[in-house]
Amino acid sequence: MENERGKLIYLATLAYLAKRYDDMTKSMRKVCEYEIELTDVERELLAIGYKNVMTTKRASLRALSSIEEKEDSKGNKQNVKLLNKKLEIVKHEFFSVCNDILSLIDSHLIPSTTNVESTVYYYAMKANYFRYMAEFGSDAERQGAADNSLEAYKIAMEMAEGGLSPTNLVRLGLALNFSIFNYVILKSTESACKLAKKAYDEAISELDGADKQSYEDTTFIVDILRDNLSVWTGGCFSFSEVIERVYKYGFKRSGLRPVTIDLKDGTVVHFWVSKTRDESKPNLLLIHGLGASAIWQWYDVARRLSPHFNLFIPDLVFFGGSSTTRPERSDVFQAQTLMRALEAQSVKRFSLVGLSYGGFVGYRMASMYGDAVEKVVICCAAVCVEEKDMRDGVFSVSDLDEASKILVPESVKKLRELIGYIFYKPALARLVPPCLLHDFIEHALTRDNLKEKREMIKDIPKDRIVSEIPKLAQPTLIIWGEHDHVFPLEMGYRLKKHLGDNGKLVVIKRTGHIFNFEKPKTYVKHLKSFLMQTKQQVPVSNGSVKS
């Protein structure tokens, strides 16, 4: 029996990889009939299969309903009649999918479940599918489905509040989906926002009061908020502001505090730094890339590295809380500015990690201040780019002006283009609602300093020749995403060749330009392995490593 069950799970996995979701549901339906409690992975296979089949039918119903309204408004009765028949067919298919999973939940999944989290998960799933049915049913069908959905949500909420932490993913997902039910089905914006805010406040309260809170629980809040943006917008919250608030809590729990350094020349640099500097720990500078401010890009890394280093995490000039009235736009200016700000904090020796554009700045610092910089990590930064590379088609976008508009987007369209370049698998990210992308531009990326940021990008390849780029004397780790479409992997190998024995290249498989988000644990593992080596240990070796 176990072999047959295992075979079915394997077939469901293959169907998932091949995006054959109907096959996926057939296999997982048979798995459920074994009356054996599903593991978390098996539970997700079941949910993904049915959700994708249901979503396809749901999209068809919405599209056909929209067309029917247009035809009806034009008085095309014959077309309306044809559309009604088609709608009935698709509606029947849609309800069949929903009833199928609801039957499995009642007859197999809930009876075979032994823990609170799984039970809450299945009741929440039950409530969600009744909610989907309430969207498209007749008046009588809609009322019955809505009543069943409400009953299941209430049972799930009572169990979740009694047995799950406020930061638990299942509890948060349930609470926020329940708020969507209030918003979409019951048409009660007040109740929807009240439920969502209660879930958020309870989770934040627990996070704020905990000395050690897992990263996974914290990011769960962000993930659920992202999936349920429609509840948080509409005058209640800014999605990006909510995330930034969570990130600030995370930085503070990691022992960091904000400071502002005024360099007295029209330049101000904002930092997050370790509250207490431990002389037994090495100093580490983390330099972010283009995009949002430092807190967005180093959130997970800071948590994992703060026990081992005195951290210094600045906003580059024109980002976050850092600004200048000076006209310089070069990576040299950014490097000089950071060095002056560190000296103002009596930081004499440090290692650094530079991410993307921050890698250019970090490389400049290492070459200009060799006595101060001990170790260097350059992450997906095409330091060895030459001006002619733009003309030779080395990059996906060969026009520098167009590239700067994509890398520093001010419209949803350009942000979607950027998403296509920076992710290894951008398909899901491309489905993010326009309102979410707009919110991210307004509150995280901001429209401030667009001109200055684009001038920074255009300055990078200007008059640049590899032979004139200084070679670093420090041990240097180069980290690259295998499928980076912003700075292709070729640039990583070029930098490795330029540095010779002082450089080591690590390629993180199945990642794009933002591997710090796609595989954060792997990324931090390489950082710690390299940065925490002592001088007595083996120095950086020649060659490259894939992970």
Side-chain angles (χ1 to χ4, degrees), residues 312-340:
F312 298 86
I313 310 176
D315 288 329
L316 289 171
V317 175
F318 304 123
F319 294 83
S322 298
S323 62
T324 190
T325 58
R326 295 178 59 172
E328 292 93 338
R329 302 291 183 262
S330 67
D331 55 342
V332 172
F333 170 67
Q334 295 276 5
Q336 292 170 336
T337 298
L338 291 187
M339 194 66 208
R340 291 173 61 201

Side-chain angles (χ1 to χ4, degrees), residues 154-169:
K154 286 181 175 179
I155 293 172
M157 282 298 298
E158 184 178 353
M159 295 181 68
E161 291 176 348
L164 299 178
S165 163
T167 56
N168 180 274
L169 171 62

Side-chain angles (χ1 to χ4, degrees), residues 374-444:
E374 297 174 318
K375 291 183 179 181
V376 181
V377 183
I378 304 296
C379 308
C380 57
V383 173
C384 287
V385 64
E386 294 185 309
E387 190 168 18
K388 68 182 184 67
D389 288 328
M390 300 303 297
R391 299 189 300 270
D392 293 345
V394 173
F395 301 100
S396 299
V397 180
S398 58
D399 183 86
L400 193 55
D401 184 62
E402 179 64 17
S404 69
K405 291 178 181 178
I406 295 172
L407 292 171
V408 185
E410 61 177 322
S411 68
V412 169
K413 180 181 178 181
K414 289 299 180 187
L415 182 52
R416 286 201 188 278
E417 285 187 58
L418 178 61
I419 288 170
Y421 287 116
I422 63 177
F423 282 93
Y424 166 51
K425 291 183 177 180
L428 290 177
R430 285 174 176 157
L431 297 177
V432 175
C435 55
L436 171 57
L437 298 179
H438 178 77
D439 180 75
F440 185 69
I441 291 170
E442 293 295 327
H443 297 282

